[in-house]
Amino acid sequence: MFHRITLPCQVEITVASNQLLAVQQGNELSFSFGGLSNDPINKRYPLFSLGFYLEHDAQIYGDGFQMSCQSFGTFDNLRILGDSADSGTSMRVYPSGHLHRFYNYLVIGDSLGYTLFGFTSCHRFAGFFEIVESEGRHQIVAYIDGENSSPREWSTYELESVVVLKSTDLNQLYDEYSDYLCQHHQPKISRLDVPPVGWSTQHSSGELLEMDALLGSLNIQQSQYSSLEYVLIDRGYQHLVGDWSDGIEEFKAKLLPMVEQIRLHGKRPGLWLAPFLVAPNSALFSQHPEWFVSNGAGSPMRADEVTAAGIDGKACYVLDTTNHEVQEHLSLLFEMLSQELGVELFKLDGLYWGTVQGHRDARGITSIEAYRMGLQAINDAVGEAYVLLNRAPLWASLGLADGMRVTDSAVRDERQYEQNAITTFLRGWQHGKLWQVDPERLVLTSLANQGCERRYYDFHRTVHLASGGVLFSGDPLDDITPFAKESIKLLVERHKTSASPAQFSSLTLHHASLNLTPHNELHCLFNYNQPIRGVMLTANTPVNWYDYWSGEKLNQVPTQAFEVMLDSGLSARAIVSVG
């Protein structure tokens, strides 16, 4: 007979197996394996189930395993957000056609409030939820991906922990959940109270970074953009993914002139790398074929044997971070970059591939453990440098990131702006609690091959205003518009005043607010291709109301209530109350 447990939130769960031990502490359950069998723990191993009355129009939000996947909508109309679904052809985590998975956590909003089901740890196994419907009834099941590993090869029988929380206040719910997460994964204590602000060299995809172009932009940044503190040498300086592994001295000689020029111009250098991926024609791959995750035949496994090929769809191999020589290689590389070259910020890309499942050097180590070992080696090597993760498995990265990109690439396009806004806002609660959120680059100037209407740029900058996260301009500084220049100035001022995110009171994501100072409240209002509508803003006392971007005063006399009109389509307004 399976064990039933009633949590203080009045939810009754049924433990899925008599081989599981569950320790209850409040609304949290910590699971461990207590069976005698050494049968492999499969990739869909249930921990518990519970019956749940799902209202027809209940709002559902669930995270994805990796950055580019989220789920949002209702049970009958669930929208997959992001460019790479977990069950898609790109960053595939599980096969298409399977029941939809909500990784990490699942939030359901109904007439009674909000219920959150969330994994509070991710030390060894990825966790996910499924909603099962049968004859009009719904059941929620919590699983871990056991990776077909054998318990007797494990170093510990501990699995993962899960919590069920209820509240009528969405932000309170997230606050409580983040407290549980931080108990299992202590966040990195960044030396930066304010998220980094700077300029990225990648202002359009596929460009190669040349020294002359960098110098020209540095001169402009130095004279006109003193507030943009960092310069991120983004993609384009490398010849091949993994070239940084082709002899550390040669790599250092290539980067040193760029880093020196950034410092000479009074800026702080940042660098893009994809640390776990290596191109098949790289020197590292030919010299150390034993350093890579292998397939069943014992040969190095190309990423596209199990998922997408790699960055830009080009075939890559994945370093086995359980291999001590690989760990030493990563340590030496990042020690050189941070200590000798003085790189102060690292944007680590393609991290999802660090969790691909294959054969690794150490037995009994899951892909999640291997990924965390590699990321820990990098963190140890870079010291106080800022670690910003990109295309990362989110919960597997807990405690190992200063910043986390939470949305897809910044493209000057109406649809991409809308999707990136929603995906950023749905993860906005993580900002300042788990890591600093990165809403991707701010791009407000049209390029020859990429551009959109001014109103969509206005929407995009208001998304950054609400986020309060990492701020990197991705526009070409030698051809930037006055609109973009003024937007950067006002966004930097917001960061200096408060680095907190504006908070949404519901999953509609229409209205976010933030107390900038004791006397100023910021309101960010959004329409997602909806009809024109009015929004009533209120204050505790009579105040004046201003448009944040233009500075225009919107009322004649102080008032406690003020109606703001939102244009139809994709639109946004930013309003500040002044007491």
Side-chain angles (χ1 to χ4, degrees), residues 60-64 69-73 78-79 81 100-107 426-427:
I60 297 176
Y61 167 59
D63 210 344
C69 181
Q70 296 175 75
S71 311
F72 187 49
L78 198 62
R79 177 182 175 187
L81 302 171
H100 184 76
R101 295 181 182 181
F102 305 90
Y103 276 89
N104 308 328
Y105 62 102
L106 166 66
V107 179
L426 287 170
R427 289 172 174 156

Side-chain angles (χ1 to χ4, degrees), residues 376-487:
Q376 184 66 62
I378 293 172
N379 272 277
D380 292 342
V382 302
E384 293 187 347
Y386 192 93
V387 177
L388 174 62
L389 305 190
N390 190 22
R391 289 195 242 191
L394 281 92
W395 261 218
S397 305
L398 286 167
L400 297 170
D402 293 291
M404 175 68 74
R405 191 175 130 191
V406 293
T407 193
D408 288 314
S409 297
V411 179
R412 298 159 180 84
D413 174 80
E414 173 191 357
R415 293 180 181 178
Q416 194 68 49
Y417 279 161
E418 178 187 14
Q419 176 174 275
N420 285 9
I422 295 171
T423 54
T424 295
F425 294 154
L426 287 170
R427 289 172 174 156
W429 66 272
Q430 301 168 13
H431 182 51
K433 296 181 174 68
L434 309 182
W435 34 55
Q436 292 174 340
V437 161
D438 174 18
E440 236 300 58
R441 292 168 297 129
L442 177 75
V443 288
L444 300 173
T445 299
S446 296
L447 305 176
N449 63 342
Q450 190 183 108
C452 62
E453 297 177 35
R454 164 73 175 270
R455 59 176 176 154
Y456 302 135
Y457 288 140
D458 186 61
F459 178 90
H460 177 58
R461 68 176 179 173
T462 307
V463 171
H464 277 262
L465 181 69
S467 165
V470 175
L471 178 63
F472 273 87
S473 170
D475 285 330
L477 296 181
D478 59 351
D479 194 29
I480 198 168
T481 63
F483 171 84
K485 189 173 182 178
E486 181 65 14
S487 299

